[in-house]
Amino acid sequence: MNLKKIFILLFIVLSVFGIAQETQKEIFFTATPSLSPDGKLIAFSYEGDIWIVPSEGGIAYRLTAMDGKESFPRFSPDGKWIAFSASPNGNNDIFVMPVTGGNITQLTFHESDDIMDSWSWDSNYIYFSSNRYNDMSQFKINRNGGTATRLFDNYFN
C-alpha cells in the first residue's frame, strides 16, 4: 500500500471516530424546554434548532434545521403538534409542525417579533406575544393559519 492510500485511510478512520465522539457528547445550554402532555417527550432548543428527546433520557433527535434560530417549542394539548418561534427572515415568526416531524408551516408573517407562548385547550389556536403596534401584547392565531387576533390592547392590561 502506498503512502497516499495510508494517509487517506487514516483520515477516514479518524473522521469516523470524530463523528462518533461528536454524536455521543454531553449537551449543555439547552433552552426553552417543553414537556409533552403525556410526559413522555421533551422538546427543547439547542444550537438554534428544535430537538426532541424521551423524558426518561436517550438520544435527542433534531426536528428543525432552518435558517436563523428556532426557540420556544410548545406541544399542543392533544400531543400532535409543536409550535415554535423561528427567525429565518431576521425577526421571529410562529411556525407549527407535527410532533413526528414533517412539513413546517409558517403561521405569522409580521415584521415584529412573535414569541410562542401556549396553545388553546382544544389545540386549535396558538397564543403568542408580539411587539406589534409598538406595544407588547398577546395574540392568537388558528393552527391552520389566517390573521392573528389581538387579545389585549396592552400586555399589562
Side-chain angles (χ1 to χ4, degrees), residues 2-157:
N2 69 24
L3 192 57
K4 184 176 180 181
K5 288 182 181 179
I6 291 173
F7 280 126
I8 291 172
L9 181 61
L10 182 61
F11 176 75
I12 291 170
V13 169
L14 290 176
S15 296
V16 170
F17 180 72
I19 291 170
Q21 291 285 41
E22 182 72 20
T23 58
Q24 295 182 10
K25 69 179 182 178
E26 288 188 52
I27 295 177
F28 298 100
F29 305 113
T30 60
T32 63
S34 177
L35 186 63
S36 65
D38 62 5
K40 293 182 179 179
L41 297 171
I42 299 171
F44 60 93
S45 178
Y46 176 67
E47 293 185 342
D49 295 317
I50 303 296
W51 296 70
I52 196 165
V53 66
S55 58
E56 67 269 356
I59 297 174
Y61 296 97
R62 186 188 319 239
L63 289 179
T64 64
M66 300 165 53
D67 290 339
K69 294 183 179 182
E70 297 92 60
S71 58
F72 299 102
R74 298 292 181 255
F75 287 95
S76 62
D78 63 10
K80 296 179 182 178
W81 303 94
I82 292 180
F84 57 94
S85 296
S87 60
N89 301 311
N91 64 296
N92 282 306
D93 284 305
I94 303 297
F95 294 78
V96 67
M97 69 180 298
V99 169
T100 56
N103 291 336
I104 298 172
T105 303
Q106 184 173 353
L107 299 180
T108 63
F109 298 85
H110 201 276
E111 61 191 14
S112 295
D113 280 322
D114 299 335
I115 305 299
M116 177 62 194
D117 288 327
S118 63
W119 286 81
S120 63
W121 286 109
D122 61 4
S123 299
N124 288 326
Y125 292 95
I126 294 167
Y127 297 103
F128 63 95
S129 299
S130 181
N131 59 352
R132 300 173 184 202
Y133 311 115
N134 297 323
D135 248 339
M136 281 303 280
S137 190
Q138 190 77 21
F139 294 81
K140 79 174 183 178
I141 191 165
N142 190 289
R143 181 189 71 225
N144 298 316
T147 302
T149 304
R150 189 174 188 184
L151 300 178
F152 307 107
D153 289 336
N154 185 296
Y155 187 76
F156 299 103
N157 288 342

